[in-house]
Amino acid sequence: MKHLPHKTIARLSQYRRALLLCHAKGKTHIFSHEIAKILHITAVQVRRDIMLIGYTGTLRKGYNIKDLIDLIGRIIDSEEGINVSVIGVGNLGRAIVNYFSGRRTKLSIVACFDVDSNKIGKKTSGIEIFHIDDLQRIIEEKNIKIGIMTVPSEQAIDIAELLVKAGIKGILNYTPKPVNVPKDVFLEEYDMITSLEKVAFFVKTHD
Amino acid sequence: MKHLPHKTIARLSQYRRALLLCHAKGKTHIFSHEIAKILHITAVQVRRDIMLIGYTGTLRKGYNIKDLIDLIGRIIDSEEGINVSVIGVGNLGRAIVNYFSGRRTKLSIVACFDVDSNKIGKKTSGIEIFHIDDLQRIIEEKNIKIGIMTVPSEQAIDIAELLVKAGIKGILNYTPKPVNVPKDVFLEEYDMITSLEKVAFFVKTHD
DNA sequence: AAGATTTTGTTAATTATTTAACAGTGTTAA
DNA sequence: TTAACACTGTTAAATAATTAACAAAATCTT
């Protein structure tokens, strides 16, 4: 197992969630075409991804759900878990924190940051909100590895720089402003405006 | 100009936003490498995308910003504009509505939907909230073409079906639950959990 | 005015990703 | 027990997207 394609990683995460649901229902085995159906992709793709991670199912019974869940976990999770922080406690920041709170996973959101003095010291979905001035200190103290940026776009560049300086290893940028990070920091950017414009384009052309 | 790649469409949207900023600053021309720098991509890619839409800059002066903005508009916008609705007025739904409110664009969010009776009839960022039971009627009345799903994932399937039945042409699904739509409806799905797990994976492996 | 420089436009090469094809093999059924 | 079936695993082909390479031309420099 040398180099897993980015897309495969993303799908593994989705396979696992689907599998966890099946597992909860008491199902023990699953076929590639069943997984495919749930995620609306092709069975070949599922088999290929599973091949890439070196798992092998049993003929006629399909894949053992529990085993596959565990294997995906060993691949995409860190054994010790990874601490995450959210920078910018607006609607989007709150949505994300709320989303993740209460999940029993290897990823935990352990701190939020904002500049609004009304928010500092309070909690959102159980997670404490700190002032951005304390970002460096808290990130070190709490051993935070990932930062999710949900700040206004004008602040994106500065915050990204701050995160890098604080030693963060991965950034998820939900700001529509592209940021620049050294290549040892993994950066994932998602731009809602662009996504909507893309949908609009296809709606327009498919008319 | 036959078939623009999906990725190119997404980048055109980003080029335009960057160009609008430059335009606002009074800049009239821009080089491919300048655009590239802003978006952290390569100049070749910028030139190639611009070639694909059939625009041609002037040597040594680069691209005329105003012209390029207009051309991108003619490609990705609908002349009459497109009406959009948000289904699910939680934190994420509010974040999106708030994001788009006040943009002078061809895309307007014109209605929100929820089931919480405390929210019905109120407004969020100036947009009225209707009950989901009125979805079909409002979508027809207001000529809404796109639905942004920000409901809890258990409801995703039903809501998607409802939207399709109401005649929606494009769906942006922010639920972690994949949904199924007929192929004349354009579907874009984005899953925050998967994105975060992807970042975590690369943080883990790049360590 | 000649030559160097800068930048575009475009074709070709490369890389990444998906899809197709099919051999191999338990399992069921006759 | 033999044939049909329903799966997986894997290699090969096709498609999509990015990157490289370079000719052409406007501008600058000397």
Side-chain angles (χ1 to χ4, degrees), chain B residues 31-32 47-48 51 56-57 59-60 63:
Chain B
F31 297 128
S32 60
R47 290 208 302 277
R48 211 172 188 299
M51 182 198 87
T56 146
L59 215 45
R60 203 80 185 191
Y63 303 100

Side-chain angles (χ1 to χ4, degrees), chain B residues 149-195:
Chain B
M149 293 176 45
T150 51
V151 297
S153 61
E154 313 86 54
Q155 295 165 35
I157 307 272
D158 293 343
I159 297 290
E161 200 179 313
L162 208 59
L163 286 170
V164 169
K165 206 176 294 172
I168 221 97
K169 292 294 176 216
I171 293 180
L172 191 39
N173 178 21
Y174 282 116
T175 284
K177 183 96 191 168
V179 301
N180 202 3
V181 298
K183 61 180 170 314
D184 62 315
V185 174
F186 185 83
L187 173 67
E188 169 93 0
E189 306 200 294
Y190 180 77
D191 180 344
M192 290 187 174
I193 299 177
T194 285
S195 288

Side-chain angles (χ1 to χ4, degrees), chain B residues 119 121-129:
Chain B
K119 293 176 185 166
K122 302 227 176 79
K123 292 188 170 187
T124 181
S125 302
I127 309 299
E128 193 172 351
I129 302 170

Side-chain angles (χ1 to χ4, degrees), chain A:
Chain A
M1 195 179 69
K2 30 178 203 304
H3 249 27
L4 294 173
H6 285 218
K7 295 278 184 77
T8 295
I9 298 297
R11 282 191 299 265
L12 287 174
S13 156
Q14 298 186 292
Y15 296 162
R16 176 165 65 172
R17 253 176 304 145
L19 292 169
L20 283 165
L21 249 64
C22 296
H23 185 62
K25 283 184 195 148
K27 214 165 144 61
T28 64
H29 289 78
I30 195 167
F31 297 127
S32 60
H33 63 259
E34 291 178 294
I35 299 177
K37 183 110 184 267
I38 299 172
L39 303 181
H40 303 118
I41 58 178
T42 70
V44 191
Q45 186 145 72
V46 174
R47 290 209 302 278
R48 210 172 189 299
D49 286 336
I50 290 177
M51 182 198 88
L52 287 176
I53 62 173
Y55 184 71
T56 146
T58 49
L59 217 44
R60 204 80 182 190
K61 290 179 76 181
Y63 304 100
N64 179 299
I65 292 179
K66 183 69 172 51
D67 290 352
L68 192 45
I69 290 171
D70 290 346
L71 176 56
I72 293 176
R74 283 201 298 285
I75 289 165
I76 69 182
D77 290 337
S78 285
E79 210 163 330
E80 343 74 61
I82 291 189
N83 290 332
V84 180
S85 64
V86 170
I87 302 91
V89 188
N91 280 311
L92 182 54
R94 275 196 299 274
I96 290 173
V97 175
N98 185 47
Y99 221 48
F100 276 91
S101 70
R103 287 179 190 278
R104 65 302 142 254
T105 148
K106 294 290 185 178
L107 290 169
S108 349
I109 295 182
V110 297
C112 300
F113 297 94
D114 208 296
V115 287
D116 181 347
S117 55
N118 294 319
K119 293 177 184 164
I120 312 300
K122 302 226 177 78
K123 291 188 172 189
T124 182
S125 301
I127 309 299
E128 192 171 352
I129 303 170
F130 299 94
H131 195 280
I132 288 195
D133 291 344
D134 295 326
L135 191 137
Q136 173 119 23
R137 181 174 59 82
I138 301 288
I139 282 183
E140 284 168 11
E141 276 179 20
K142 293 188 181 273
N143 187 30
I144 293 170
K145 292 277 175 52
I146 294 176
I148 302 178
M149 293 176 45
T150 52
V151 296
S153 60
E154 314 85 54
Q155 295 164 35
I157 306 273
D158 292 342
I159 297 291
E161 200 179 314
L162 209 57
L163 286 169
V164 169
K165 206 176 295 173
I168 222 96
K169 292 294 178 215
I171 293 179
L172 191 39
N173 178 21
Y174 282 116
T175 285
K177 181 95 191 169
V179 301
N180 202 3
V181 298
K183 62 181 169 317
D184 62 315
V185 174
F186 186 82
L187 174 67
E188 170 94 359
E189 307 201 294
Y190 180 76
D191 180 343
M192 291 187 171
I193 299 178
T194 285
S195 287
L196 182 56
E197 291 194 333
K198 206 169 97 181
V199 175
F201 171 78
F202 286 103
V203 164
K204 172 194 176 186
T205 56
H206 257 73
D207 211 22

Side-chain angles (χ1 to χ4, degrees), chain B residues 15-33:
Chain B
Y15 296 163
R16 176 165 65 173
R17 252 175 304 144
L19 292 169
L20 283 165
L21 250 64
C22 295
H23 185 62
K25 284 185 195 146
K27 215 165 143 63
T28 64
H29 288 77
I30 195 167
F31 297 128
S32 60
H33 63 260

